[in-house]
Amino acid sequence: MVAPEAMAQGLTRLQGVEINRHGSYTRIIFKLDNLFTYSLTQLPNQIRLTLKSADSPRFRRFNSYSDTHIGGVAFSQRGNDVHVAIAAKNTITGVRILDQAENVLTVDVGSFPGQQDAPAIVPGRERILSGTEKLIREFDPPLRAEIPFIPTDSRQLQKVIAGEDVLLFQKGEGFLYTEKAAEAVEVFSYFLNKDTPMRALASYRQGEALYLLERYEPALKAFREGERLWPEYLSLNPAATFYYADSIARMGNLADGRRLLVRLIAQLADKTYAPMLLDRLADILARNGREKEAVTIYKTVAENFAGSKAANHAALKLADRRVFFVGFEDYQSLMRIYQDIYKSSGDVFLRDDAHFKAAFLESLYGQSETALAAICQYEKLYPQGIFVAIARGIREDLLLQVYRERYAAKDYEGVVKLAQQNRDYLSRCFTDDQFIRRLSEGFADIHKPVAELELLHYLAEREWAASAAPFMYGRIIDNAVTLDDIPQAEATARSFLIRFPRHPDTHHVLEHLGEISFFKKDMSGVVAELSWLFKPGVKAEFLNSYYYLGKALATSRDYKRADMTLTRYVDGLRQAGMSSPLAGDAYFTVGSGRKKVGDYRGAMVAYRTGLETAGNEMRDQFLYTMGELNLHQKNYKEAKVLWDRIVKEGSDPVWRKMAQQAISDQEWQENNGGRASGLSK
């Protein structure tokens, strides 16, 4: 049972705790009754867990629990927080947090085979780490030579090939310069398939193009063919030499590739791009497992060529070696290194890389809101960036955390804004079954049905939101009806029935269609949409549905079923203790139907009940009709009394005039002896 003081303060309740030993670790499961936030600190001999804004029993039986990993779990209440102290034993090598279940927190304490001793990240960010670590560690795009592209002199081309072929070859080099490698391959293949003096040069250019396409084996073959035909060209085009060297290394011959690249660096030692070639040598060495040599080169470049592009590249590569081994305490210092590289570098690729790495660190260790802002900023600055695809996944994961935190804080407007501003990134949020309902709850709290209708209409068509589509369709219909947007309500309802013909909400949608048909005065449509209400055991979700169906049946002279349906309506109002302006008309319609089938007694009962229920608006109408019914039954005196009440007390001049006329007719009959005996009774 939840403590009264906890309820009064709106605290989350820690309802239960389970402790299970699993060989290399001990699992502690905390079960709460609502959304929660927490913090965890790992000390050498203790793990301290704080459940914020929570209340808990003392769970004293766990104080003495002991196994090979932990030696007791103590619970204490400190203000509005629950503090849990887990005593750690010497066998502890790590702590693992699992909080994918909404109201359940799992803490594993012990050793985890195959798990590196990397610092813990923010709980709930495990997907971000697992989805990104492999990409960052193994990201290995083609290396840019950073050597100016040297096109072939057109005069030299004209000496060996015809005019049209000159233009075509220049076009191929243009493709190569703009890194349209696939188009370049097509052009140079044309020259390689001809017996022409251009075959050697075309082979080198083909090798460069294939390298950019990451087709390293055919690239190496093309370079070797070029070297066989024209070995001197390598000294004329250092960029081709670089790509040739890297292709050799990538195909498993590091020694020869390194030898060629070192020779190129020596050849260009006096050039400004020589330091960048040193970086590229380090990149190649690192890729081939020569980590110590690579780091030495990076450090040398960073220290000796400060402010250069090569130094920034080297600094970034050195920072990359720390990215998975920092923790909460030192991640910001590494993040600042990436930010400095981003600010100081003029190279778009380095800036892209550094900006993403800084945002990535924030996404692992920072506050959810801050992390989300950082990754969104990266996407905004680099919509076509190197890491934009993985950034999208990170953003989706962070949105799930931010939404849960805002909802737990009862920041309903914040939940709504989050969804509106990130509507294309909500796929992870939809893995939470409660998300869409909580989003609608937020819209209701801030009274913005138009905004909700617009957002849900967009989301309902997204494939990743398909599981929540029925609910969204229902809300769209509800809001459209509320806003009197009948065409949209009807169109959405029809779409729902086509898409989800057997869904449990089908009746809900049919009731809306019945209401729409009623207001369109399509009474046959009302009957078609709502006749299922006569099935045994079926109950309308909206009480007004009985009214719409009853009125439609009365119009079609199906008085028996109209009576049955309208009676369910007024009985439902009475049982719920509700009033409705439609109640009087329901009783009047029932009375009129009974009168038409000859049930005068039943008609009078309906009119009298309606008179008591309807209030002043229909009072005169009920009195007049009851007078007519008495007249029909030759109860002349009772008829006159009812009409006289209208004349003396009525509020509607039309009914008063009609009542006065009815009385005058009766008096004329009396004076002429037509009904004297009846009036004197």
Side-chain angles (χ1 to χ4, degrees), residues 259-541:
R259 196 159 29 248
L260 182 58
L261 186 53
V262 168
R263 190 164 66 241
L264 177 64
I265 293 171
Q267 175 188 335
L268 302 174
D270 60 336
K271 305 294 184 181
T272 57
Y273 38 81
M276 199 67 226
L277 286 174
L278 281 172
D279 276 344
R280 294 311 187 201
L281 174 59
D283 293 341
I284 293 170
L285 291 170
R287 187 198 317 129
N288 286 275
R290 310 292 280 270
E291 183 68 13
K292 185 178 290 187
E293 294 176 70
V295 168
T296 299
I297 294 174
Y298 289 138
K299 287 181 177 179
T300 300
V301 173
E303 291 169 4
N304 292 282
F305 300 95
S308 69
K309 177 179 177 179
N312 280 325
H313 176 271
L316 184 137
K317 290 298 182 179
L318 290 170
D320 286 350
R321 279 149 177 78
R322 293 176 52 201
V323 75
F324 296 107
F325 299 97
V326 295
F328 292 106
E329 300 79 10
D330 55 350
Y331 87 90
Q332 290 186 335
S333 63
L334 180 59
M335 189 169 68
R336 282 192 290 272
I337 291 174
Y338 283 122
Q339 290 170 339
D340 289 342
I341 294 170
Y342 169 76
K343 292 174 184 176
S344 63
S345 177
D347 181 79
V348 64
F349 297 105
L350 273 178
R351 286 168 61 83
D352 180 340
D353 197 337
H355 197 294
F356 172 77
K357 300 287 177 49
F360 173 64
L361 284 169
E362 194 72 72
S363 75
L364 291 180
Y365 301 104
Q367 295 292 326
S368 298
E369 297 275 2
T370 307
L372 179 61
I375 208 69
C376 288
Q377 180 69 3
Y378 170 77
E379 284 193 282
K380 181 179 179 181
L381 291 174
Y382 296 98
Q384 306 298 324
I386 301 169
F387 300 99
V388 71
I390 200 70
R392 180 186 183 94
I394 294 173
R395 181 172 176 177
E396 290 171 352
D397 281 314
L398 290 171
L399 280 168
L400 178 60
Q401 281 204 339
V402 173
Y403 132 67
R404 284 177 169 169
E405 289 173 7
R406 290 187 183 182
Y407 183 82
K410 296 182 171 57
D411 180 9
Y412 302 122
E413 184 173 7
V415 171
V416 168
K417 286 183 178 179
L418 190 75
Q420 289 176 317
Q421 294 166 0
N422 299 275
R423 66 182 194 174
D424 289 319
Y425 297 83
L426 297 175
S427 62
R428 282 284 291 150
C429 289
F430 275 91
T431 63
D432 181 339
D433 293 340
Q434 297 302 311
F435 169 70
I436 194 62
R437 287 170 173 77
R438 288 171 177 168
L439 180 59
S440 285
E441 182 183 334
F443 275 112
D445 185 76
I446 62 175
H447 308 293
K448 290 190 175 180
V450 175
E452 181 184 9
L453 193 150
E454 188 276 332
L455 179 60
L456 295 188
H457 198 277
Y458 178 82
L459 293 176
E461 300 303 317
R462 308 280 76 78
E463 185 176 345
W464 39 261
S467 62
F471 177 84
M472 289 190 283
Y473 272 114
R475 289 297 300 151
I476 292 169
I477 297 166
D478 290 344
N479 281 330
V481 170
T482 300
L483 297 168
D484 203 29
D485 187 350
I486 302 305
Q488 171 141 315
E490 184 172 11
T492 305
R494 299 290 180 202
S495 296
F496 178 96
L497 294 176
I498 293 171
R499 189 172 175 185
F500 309 104
R502 290 182 171 80
H503 194 273
D505 287 342
T506 297
H507 285 170
H508 174 102
V509 174
L510 287 171
E511 287 186 68
H512 273 309
L513 286 172
E515 180 181 33
I516 291 168
S517 294
F518 182 82
F519 287 116
K520 290 169 65 177
K521 295 182 171 53
D522 177 11
M523 296 305 166
S524 61
V526 174
V527 175
E529 305 295 356
L530 298 178
S531 58
W532 54 269
L533 286 171
F534 288 111
K535 294 180 179 179
V538 172
K539 185 178 180 181
E541 183 176 341

Side-chain angles (χ1 to χ4, degrees), residues 100-317:
Q100 282 82 5
E102 189 170 44
N103 298 334
V104 177
L105 176 66
T106 300
V107 178
D108 292 342
V109 182
S111 60
F112 308 101
Q115 179 173 313
Q116 295 183 349
D117 296 333
I121 60 175
V122 172
R125 312 274 177 93
E126 292 79 14
R127 271 177 52 94
I128 294 175
L129 179 60
S130 64
T132 308
E133 182 175 8
K134 182 175 171 48
L135 171 69
I136 291 179
R137 287 186 185 278
E138 299 180 5
F139 182 63
D140 185 26
L143 300 177
R144 289 177 171 78
E146 309 299 342
I147 299 171
F149 181 83
I150 303 174
T152 307
D153 190 319
S154 60
R155 288 172 297 181
Q156 297 299 321
L157 291 174
Q158 290 169 359
K159 292 179 181 179
V160 292
I161 55 177
E164 289 186 1
D165 281 352
V166 169
L167 294 176
L168 181 60
F169 198 89
Q170 289 177 324
K171 185 176 182 180
E173 290 191 329
F175 285 139
L176 196 57
Y177 177 70
T178 56
E179 297 189 357
K180 296 178 180 177
E183 292 87 340
V185 166
E186 186 176 346
V187 171
F188 297 126
S189 294
Y190 166 80
F191 290 97
L192 291 173
N193 291 326
K194 295 178 64 176
D195 185 12
T196 168
M198 293 301 299
R199 185 174 182 82
L201 181 56
S203 294
Y204 281 113
R205 291 307 196 193
Q206 184 81 317
E208 292 179 76
L210 290 167
Y211 177 89
L212 293 177
L213 291 172
E214 302 181 50
R215 296 172 59 189
Y216 301 117
E217 186 172 359
L220 179 57
K221 183 179 179 181
F223 282 127
R224 283 178 171 159
E225 175 66 8
E227 185 180 27
R228 185 185 69 80
L229 295 171
W230 188 10
E232 297 81 9
Y233 181 76
L234 289 175
S235 62
L236 301 175
N237 187 347
T241 305
F242 170 79
Y243 296 132
Y244 186 12
D246 193 30
S247 296
I248 294 171
R250 286 179 185 271
M251 294 311 299
N253 189 346
L254 175 62
D256 284 353
R258 180 178 184 173
R259 196 159 29 248
L260 182 58
L261 186 53
V262 168
R263 190 164 66 241
L264 177 64
I265 293 171
Q267 175 188 335
L268 302 174
D270 60 336
K271 305 294 184 181
T272 57
Y273 38 81
M276 199 67 226
L277 286 174
L278 281 172
D279 276 344
R280 294 311 187 201
L281 174 59
D283 293 341
I284 293 170
L285 291 170
R287 187 198 317 129
N288 286 275
R290 310 292 280 270
E291 183 68 13
K292 185 178 290 187
E293 294 176 70
V295 168
T296 299
I297 294 174
Y298 289 138
K299 287 181 177 179
T300 300
V301 173
E303 291 169 4
N304 292 282
F305 300 95
S308 69
K309 177 179 177 179
N312 280 325
H313 176 271
L316 184 137
K317 290 298 182 179

Side-chain angles (χ1 to χ4, degrees), residues 661-678:
Q661 184 63 48
I663 293 172
S664 297
D665 288 345
Q666 293 303 314
E667 290 176 348
W668 185 88
Q669 291 286 345
E670 179 183 0
N671 293 335
N672 288 277
R675 291 177 181 165
S677 59

